[in-house]
Amino acid sequence: MSLNRRTFIKNSSLLLGYSLFPYSSLYAQANPKQIGVCLVGLGNYSATVLAPALQITKHCKLTGIVTGSPWKIPKWQKRYGIPDKNVYNYNTMHEIANNPDIDVIYIVVPTGLHAKYAINAANAGKHVWCEKPMAKTEAECQAIIDACIKNKVKLSIGYRMQHEPNTQTVIKWATTKPYGTIKTVRAEIGYNVGNPARTWRLDAELGGGTMYDLGVYALNAARYTTGEEPISVSAKQMTTRPEIFTETDETTHFTFDFPSGAMAYGKTSVGKSMHELYVDCQKGWYTLAPFSMYSGVQGKTSDGTLLTIPIRNQQAKQMDDDAVSIINDTPVLVPGEEGMKDIKIVEAIYKAAKSGKTLSLS
């Protein structure tokens, strides 16, 4: 059945956010120390996922917005009680430097604009949360990291899955290897989007493309599941709708070789629904299916162990974890260096697909 990804995200996130709204009041009363968060970019993800999630966080509070769409401002102010002094546009966001209500600037604009506004945020002296993928290029990622180091602010990348408890079990198993040496990993993520709207995700200049948008989840999963960095990559890209995907990929397949001899097979598409991480080991196997959706992540193993630790809201946990690192001045779970590693590989995947050759990543 065809699934419109935008509709699915909007409906599921609204249900998660509003069904838990009373919970936020209890948290706010019990935890006076909260990190003020300013969302930069009020598109679908901010409006239907992050803003509702911020209402149920323990250590965060939505205190500001940056938007280039003035018509959105009254709606956001009414819903979240944001005062005029905490509302900015893209030309005035540098003034956030003088606003004590805002501790963190969360970058939620198209990927091709991440570097520009993440650097602006760091230069304003505020901690930076940058949505995945970190940026379009490795060089842009490094520029963001350098700006955060220069301004002595923390940088965290919005990989929500690494905060999810069942995924954290899989990450731990990369070291403990309860089922023996990992032989192969298969990571697949996709949505069957029947007629995608002409948005920035179809615009190569703005960082569109299925590999950037969805494929980084499969790529990142291959890395955290093995606990290794790939040493070579091969890839191919294709489309069944060339009239729509004129600049970006509809489907991407990639294969990694790891130093241990393990191999990973990744696939991402907006032509097919798939959400599975499968790990084949010397003494058994384990899987998460779905492994990347906003809710319901669960799995099982060859010996019958179930991976079903519940979580209220992935984005709320992600932001709370990152807020705690600010409050306690401890390392973030997913630093900029982690995001940059993925982007280096994404660039290699596109090159490998174009050349038809296996490329070394060393």
Side-chain angles (χ1 to χ4, degrees):
M1 181 175 69
S2 178
L3 174 66
N4 184 295
R5 180 170 178 255
R6 179 181 290 268
T7 300
F8 170 81
I9 290 174
K10 181 177 181 180
N11 291 343
S12 61
S13 57
L14 283 173
L15 284 172
L16 282 170
Y18 291 120
S19 65
L20 295 172
F21 187 79
Y23 182 67
S24 64
S25 299
L26 296 176
Y27 261 158
Q29 293 172 12
N31 295 274
K33 177 60 176 177
Q34 291 183 306
I35 296 298
V37 178
C38 177
L39 295 176
V40 178
L42 305 184
N44 187 65
Y45 192 63
S46 283
T48 65
V49 181
L50 292 178
L54 279 164
Q55 307 314 300
I56 61 170
T57 52
K58 181 178 180 180
H59 300 289
C60 308
K61 182 180 181 181
L62 177 59
T63 55
I65 54 175
V66 176
T67 181
S69 303
W71 61 269
K72 294 181 180 180
I73 295 172
K75 179 180 178 180
W76 278 73
Q77 288 187 300
K78 181 178 180 180
R79 180 171 294 178
Y80 299 112
I82 300 170
D84 290 343
K85 67 183 181 67
N86 291 1
V87 176
Y88 302 87
N89 61 47
Y90 294 107
N91 294 322
T92 63
M93 68 173 286
H94 64 278
E95 296 174 6
I96 296 175
N98 303 314
N99 193 330
D101 293 346
I102 296 170
D103 303 294
V104 169
I105 298 178
Y106 196 153
I107 308 302
V108 205
V109 293
T111 302
L113 300 175
H114 281 187
K116 177 179 180 179
Y117 293 111
I119 292 170
N120 286 351
N123 288 339
K126 303 297 181 177
H127 301 293
V128 180
W129 296 348
C130 183
E131 192 47 47
K132 69 83 204 161
M134 185 175 174
K136 275 185 64 177
T137 67
E138 182 184 6
E140 289 180 345
C141 293
Q142 187 63 60
I144 296 172
I145 293 170
D146 291 344
C148 290
I149 292 173
K150 176 183 176 182
N151 290 284
K152 299 180 181 180
V153 296
K154 291 186 181 295
L155 169 63
S156 182
I157 311 303
Y159 279 103
R160 57 189 168 81
M161 299 318 306
Q162 294 203 29
H163 299 261
E164 195 278 326
N166 299 296
T167 305
Q168 289 180 331
T169 296
V170 169
I171 293 172
K172 180 180 68 176
W173 285 352
T175 301
T176 61
K177 293 183 172 55
Y179 299 92
T181 302
I182 294 173
K183 297 191 297 183
T184 61
V185 174
R186 176 168 49 83
E188 300 179 341
I189 176 172
Y191 295 87
N192 185 2
V193 181
N195 185 24
R198 184 70 199 183
T199 67
W200 69 267
R201 287 182 171 84
L202 295 176
D203 188 326
E205 184 66 25
L206 287 177
T210 306
M211 190 64 220
Y212 277 107
D213 187 27
L214 298 176
V216 287
Y217 285 118
L219 187 168
N220 196 251
R223 291 179 50 243
Y224 64 60
T225 299
T226 60
E228 297 185 80
E229 299 301 329
I231 56 176
S232 67
V233 59
S234 58
K236 60 180 179 179
Q237 296 179 318
M238 61 206 73
T239 179
T240 59
R241 295 171 284 181
E243 72 282 1
I244 296 175
F245 295 92
T246 57
E247 301 179 23
T248 59
D249 51 306
E250 178 183 16
T251 299
T252 296
H253 296 256
F254 58 88
T255 302
F256 293 154
D257 292 295
F258 291 98
S260 66
M263 296 189 69
Y265 304 94
K267 181 179 180 182
T268 185
S269 179
V270 287
K272 179 182 179 181
S273 292
M274 49 187 174
H275 295 274
E276 183 177 17
L277 174 64
Y278 182 88
V279 187
D280 186 38
C281 304
Q282 189 178 29
K283 300 177 182 178
W285 54 265
Y286 46 96
T287 184
L288 290 176
F291 86 95
S292 56
M293 295 182 76
Y294 288 174
S295 63
V297 173
Q298 59 184 337
K300 57 185 178 180
T301 73
S302 54
D303 62 8
T305 300
L306 298 179
L307 302 174
T308 55
I309 301 173
I311 184 173
R312 284 181 175 270
N313 183 292
Q314 293 173 11
Q315 287 82 3
K317 186 174 188 302
Q318 168 201 322
M319 291 187 285
D320 265 341
D321 286 348
D322 288 337
V324 168
S325 76
I326 293 172
I327 294 168
N328 295 334
D329 193 19
T330 54
V332 300
L333 183 61
V334 188
E337 289 77 8
E338 175 75 359
M340 184 167 65
K341 288 176 182 178
D342 279 353
I343 297 306
K344 177 181 178 180
I345 298 170
V346 168
E347 290 188 277
I349 286 173
Y350 278 105
K351 290 178 183 177
K354 186 175 182 179
S355 69
K357 299 178 180 179
T358 298
L359 300 183
S360 172
L361 292 172
S362 58

